[in-house]
Each structure stands twice: as structure tokens, then as C-alpha cells.
């Protein structure tokens, strides 16, 4: 990835991989009531989980980012309620059980609930007792090929609206962290007079530009974040949002294909403008925890999060190889626009992060 890994980082990665099997097994336990294949897996100790002093909920808790975030929260001493929201997760867990990959562990700081993002009442019941909610908003393409469609963008917006309303109506929930995307910041009209070259947390993408270019992931993240801020203001919900670059990490293109494919639509233009940035999933998860913990002090608003900007053909080719796509899809030379090199800044997040983790982020 172009970044030297310290011994601690490699240890974090091993911890993440070891913990993944435990988390998906726990999600399977939640569904055991309705799926005979999982009967007998539920542990009485896990079934009685109720740690409300530091209890938080993570939506899309078995996603690539969701798993990393749950792990970091547990390492920080939180009790975590994992939200499972679709049958595809159940099928994934069944396959893991059959293949022998699944392990069952007893951890009294984890619980699992099932709720649909379309049902506010169900979300409220899932959030009840939690002090905070992390809405990681991870959506998968049912067909598994198109990446992210226009209809999925609308689903994401509605889910964001429902989650925010559920948070605001749940008395125990004090804070919410929404995972947006850097794509919600960078797609601006390059021909706009006096367009600032500094791209930071104050920048918003153009909805019309996203539609014109059919950048559906950018559109979905943009509209989902905007509706979240609207509801937060109307319903007095304490909200922060994190806008990460392309999320990378162990086997990221295989384990997070929908977001990876969709994020890189328009990659040539992002690359030419110096706006193609990535972030390691573990570092992103740590950023979520840091922002959440600072919400009762100084944290507010939006935070851009990245640890690398893809600069130069060598880095672009390496990223393309990791994803398994032709390098020209990222660093091609044929453009229908006039490239302008922008400066991408995550200084606001760097200022918030503790000294220990501040060195893990690359400042533009």
C-alpha cells in the first residue's frame, strides 16, 4: 500500500482477522431463532448481554468497515450491539458454518439484533439502551456486478433518514456518527469561477454534476449525509459525519466489492485532480471511535479521513493491481475536462486525533 507497516499495525491486522470469525458467528446466533441450521449455537452467556453503561450500536455490523469498527470499539472497552439487516448476511453465515470457517466464542460485550432500515420502529427497538449509534451505511449490490445503482442511492438516502429519526426518537441515544464519503465533498463543477483549490470538510459535491456523470455512490452519500444533517437539526440530534476516501485493507476489493467498484467510477478525473485518496479500514475505524469520544467535548460537523493520496503512475498501477482492474482505468490520459490539481486536507481530523494515532494519517 506504499506505507511501511509497524509491528503494532500488523498486530492490529491479525487481531482484526481473528475477530472477524467471532463476529459473524455472533450474527448467526441472532438469526438462529428463524434458521434451523444455526440452532444450538447460541450461548446463554451471550444471550444475556446487557452492558448499557458504554453500549453502542453499529449498523451494517458485518460489513467490511462494520467488523473493523466493532473490533476497535471492543478494544476501547465498549459493549457493542451489532445490527444485522438482511437475509444475505444469514446466507453468508450459513456458508461459513458449512465450510468450517465459523467459530463460536463467548464475549459478554457483544449482542446482535435484527432490524430493517425501512422500519423506524424496529430501528428504535434495536437502538434502545444504546448511548451512541454508528451508521456505517454499507449497501451491497444484489446482482453483485453493477457496483452501485441509482436506485441503491435512493435506498441509502431513505435508510439514513430512518436511522436519524430512530436515533432522535430513542431516549437513550445521545450521539450518532454517520459514515459518509469523500465523494460527497470532491465532485464540484471545475468550471465554476473562483472554485477554491483547497478541498476540506466545508466542501460539498454538486448533486447535478453527480447525476450528469452518473456517479451514483457519490450521489447516494451526498444526499444521505444532507438528509441526516437536516433531521439532526430539526430533531436536535447530536451528529458528526466522517467522509473517508476509498476504504482499503486486507482483501478489500474482494470483501468490499460494491463500494470499491462504485467509488472508482470517475477515478481518472479524481487522479488527475489529486483527489483520489484511500484510507486503511483499521485507521478509519479508529477515527470513528476518536470522533465519537470527542463529541461531548469539541467534535462537531464533518471530518475528512484519508491516509494516502494516489500520486504518480506507480502508485496508481499498484492500486489497480490490488483491485484487479486495468491501470488505465485510474491513470489514463484521455479526459473530457481540464485537469486542475486541488489540495485535499484532513487537518480537522488530524487535530482531533490523539498523538498516538496522529502519525498514522497522511496530511496533505
Amino acid at each position: 500500500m506504499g506505507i511501511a507497516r509497524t509491528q503494532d499495525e500488523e498486530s492490529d491486522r491479525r487481531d482484526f482477522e481473528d475477530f472477524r470469525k467471532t463476529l459473524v458467528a455472533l450474527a448467526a446466533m441472532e438469526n438462529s431463532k428463524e434458521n434451523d441450521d444455526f440452532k444450538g449455537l447460541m450461548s446463554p452467556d451471550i444471550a444475556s448481554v446487557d452492558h448499557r453503561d458504554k453500549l453502542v450500536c453499529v449498523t451494517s455490523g458485518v460489513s467490511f468497515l462494520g467488523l473493523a469498527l466493532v473490533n476497535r470499539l471492543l478494544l476501547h472497552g465498549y459493549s457493542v450491539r451489532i445490527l444485522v439487516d438482511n437475509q444475505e448476511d444469514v446466507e453468508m453465515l450459513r456458508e461459513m458454518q458449512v465450510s468450517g470457517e465459523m467459530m463460536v466464542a463467548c464475549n459478554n460485550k457483544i449482542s446482535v439484533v435484527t432490524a430493517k432500515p425501512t422500519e423506524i420502529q424496529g430501528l428504535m427497538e434495536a437502538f434502545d439502551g444504546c448511548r451512541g449509534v454508528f451508521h456505517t451505511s454499507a449497501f451491497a449490490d444484489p446482482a453483485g456486478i453493477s457496483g452501485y445503482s441509482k436506485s441503491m442511492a435512493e435506498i441509502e438516502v431513505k435508510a439514513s433518514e430512518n436511522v436519524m429519526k430512530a436515533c432522535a426518537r430513542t431516549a437513550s441515544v445521545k450521539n450518532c456518527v454517520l459514515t459518509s464519503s469523500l465523494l460527497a465533498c470532491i465532485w464540484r463543477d471545475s468550471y465554476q469561477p473562483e472554485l477554491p483549490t483547497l478541498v476540506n470538510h466545508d466542501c460539498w459535491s454538486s448533486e447535478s454534476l453527480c447525476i450528469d456523470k452518473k456517479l451514483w455512490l457519490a450521489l447516494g452519500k451526498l444526499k444521505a449525509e444532507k438528509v441526516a444533517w437536516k433531521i439532526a437539526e430539526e430533531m436536535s440530534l447530536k451528529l458528526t459525519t466522517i467522509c473517508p476516501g476509498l476504504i482499503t485493507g486486507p482483501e478489500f476489493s474482494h470483501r468490499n466489492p460494491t463500494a470499491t467498484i462504485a467509488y472508482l467510477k470517475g477515478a481518472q478525473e479524481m487522479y488527475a485532480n489529486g483527489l483520489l485518496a484511500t484510507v486503511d479500514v483499521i485507521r478509519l475505524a479508529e477515527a470513528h471511535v476518536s470522533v465519537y469520544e470527542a463529541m461531548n467535548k469539541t467534535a462537531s460537523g464533518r471530518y475528512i479521513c484519508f491516509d494516502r493520496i494516489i500520486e504518480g503512475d506507480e502508485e496508481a498501477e499498484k492500486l489497480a493491481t490490488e483491485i484487479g482492474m486495468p491501470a488505465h482505468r485510474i491513470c489514463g490520459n484521455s479526459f473530457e475536462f481540464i485537469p486542475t490539481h486541488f489540495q485535499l486536507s484532513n487537518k480537522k481530523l488530524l487535530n482531533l486525533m490523539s498523538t498516538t494515532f496522529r502519525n498514522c494519517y497522511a496530511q496533505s
Side-chain angles (χ1 to χ4, degrees):
M1 299 301 296
I3 297 175
R5 303 294 181 191
T6 66
Q7 186 175 359
D8 288 342
E9 284 180 285
E10 291 300 330
S11 177
D12 280 344
R13 288 182 178 279
R14 288 193 295 270
D15 290 344
F16 172 69
E17 289 300 315
D18 291 342
F19 203 71
R20 178 178 66 86
K21 293 182 180 180
T22 300
L23 295 177
V24 295
L26 290 167
M29 295 172 195
E30 171 63 21
N31 289 286
S32 63
K33 299 176 184 177
E34 300 178 359
N35 296 277
D36 292 339
D37 291 348
F38 296 117
K39 283 184 178 178
L41 286 178
M42 176 64 90
S43 162
D45 294 326
I46 295 175
S48 61
V49 170
D50 188 13
H51 293 265
R52 299 194 171 208
D53 52 338
K54 291 187 71 175
L55 178 61
V56 295
C57 183
V58 177
T59 70
S60 301
V62 294
S63 67
F64 185 52
L65 172 59
L67 289 170
L69 178 54
V70 169
N71 188 28
R72 302 312 294 181
L73 286 165
L74 289 168
L75 290 174
H76 279 264
Y78 288 89
S79 297
V80 183
R81 184 175 293 168
I82 303 170
L83 186 62
V84 177
D85 61 9
N86 61 65
Q87 185 63 27
E88 291 182 3
D89 289 338
V90 178
E91 295 302 324
M92 177 192 69
L93 296 168
R94 182 181 289 112
E95 290 175 6
M96 294 189 71
Q97 185 201 30
V98 171
S99 67
E101 293 182 45
M102 188 177 296
M103 60 177 286
V104 178
C106 175
N107 190 316
N108 63 2
K109 288 191 173 183
I110 305 173
S111 59
V112 185
V113 293
T114 301
K116 299 290 184 182
T118 54
E119 301 171 359
I120 296 178
Q121 184 59 41
L123 290 169
M124 290 175 62
E125 293 173 0
F127 299 158
D128 184 38
C130 295
R131 295 295 183 265
V133 172
F134 293 84
H135 182 41
T136 64
S137 58
F139 291 88
D141 174 18
I145 54 174
S146 65
Y148 190 101
S149 64
K150 185 177 182 180
S151 61
M152 288 175 65
E154 296 305 319
I155 293 172
E156 176 145 4
V157 175
K158 188 61 179 178
S160 177
E161 178 181 350
N162 290 343
V163 168
M164 295 306 120
K165 287 181 178 178
C167 286
R169 295 175 185 175
T170 305
S172 64
V173 175
K174 305 304 180 184
N175 299 318
C176 178
V177 178
L178 168 71
T179 308
S180 181
S181 174
L182 182 58
L183 297 178
C185 308
I186 65 175
W187 286 105
R188 305 172 300 163
D189 187 353
S190 298
Y191 296 101
Q192 178 183 332
E194 300 180 357
L195 182 68
T197 58
L198 180 66
V199 179
N200 61 16
H201 55 276
D202 291 324
C203 297
W204 289 90
S205 292
S206 164
E207 185 173 330
S208 60
L209 184 65
C210 291
I211 294 173
D212 290 343
K213 292 179 176 290
K214 298 183 178 180
L215 301 168
W216 305 130
L217 181 61
L219 180 66
K221 294 298 184 182
L222 173 65
K223 294 179 66 176
E225 186 181 356
K226 283 191 171 182
V227 76
W229 281 115
K230 181 176 182 292
I231 293 171
E233 182 177 355
E234 293 175 349
M235 303 184 71
S236 299
L237 172 66
K238 195 162 189 179
L239 173 70
T240 55
T241 62
I242 297 179
C243 302
L246 174 66
I247 303 174
T248 61
E251 300 179 343
F252 69 94
S253 62
H254 173 70
R255 294 169 57 187
N256 195 32
T258 296
T260 299
I261 294 170
Y263 192 101
L264 291 172
K265 187 169 185 179
Q268 290 184 357
E269 188 168 343
M270 288 188 283
Y271 172 75
N273 288 332
L275 297 175
L276 181 55
T278 67
V279 60
D280 183 272
V281 67
I282 295 175
R283 295 172 183 175
L284 176 58
E286 187 63 41
H288 277 70
V289 178
S290 295
V291 169
Y292 175 77
E293 291 184 339
M295 286 181 71
N296 292 327
K297 300 175 183 177
T298 59
S300 63
R302 310 170 79 208
Y303 292 86
I304 284 180
C305 183
F306 64 91
D307 58 17
R308 181 173 63 144
I309 299 174
I310 305 301
E311 297 178 307
D313 290 353
E314 184 176 343
E315 286 191 22
E317 290 171 3
K318 186 173 182 179
L319 177 62
T321 299
E322 291 170 343
I323 299 170
M325 68 188 305
H328 70 81
R329 293 273 301 275
I330 295 176
C331 57
N333 296 318
S334 178
F335 302 103
E336 297 178 355
F337 59 92
I338 301 174
T340 303
H341 198 84
F342 295 96
Q343 182 182 7
L344 192 59
S345 174
N346 59 356
K347 185 177 293 186
K348 182 180 177 184
L349 180 61
L350 292 175
N351 289 338
L352 179 143
M353 299 291 287
S354 65
T355 302
T356 302
F357 291 96
R358 188 169 296 175
N359 292 333
C360 293
Y361 289 83
Q363 186 173 5
S364 60

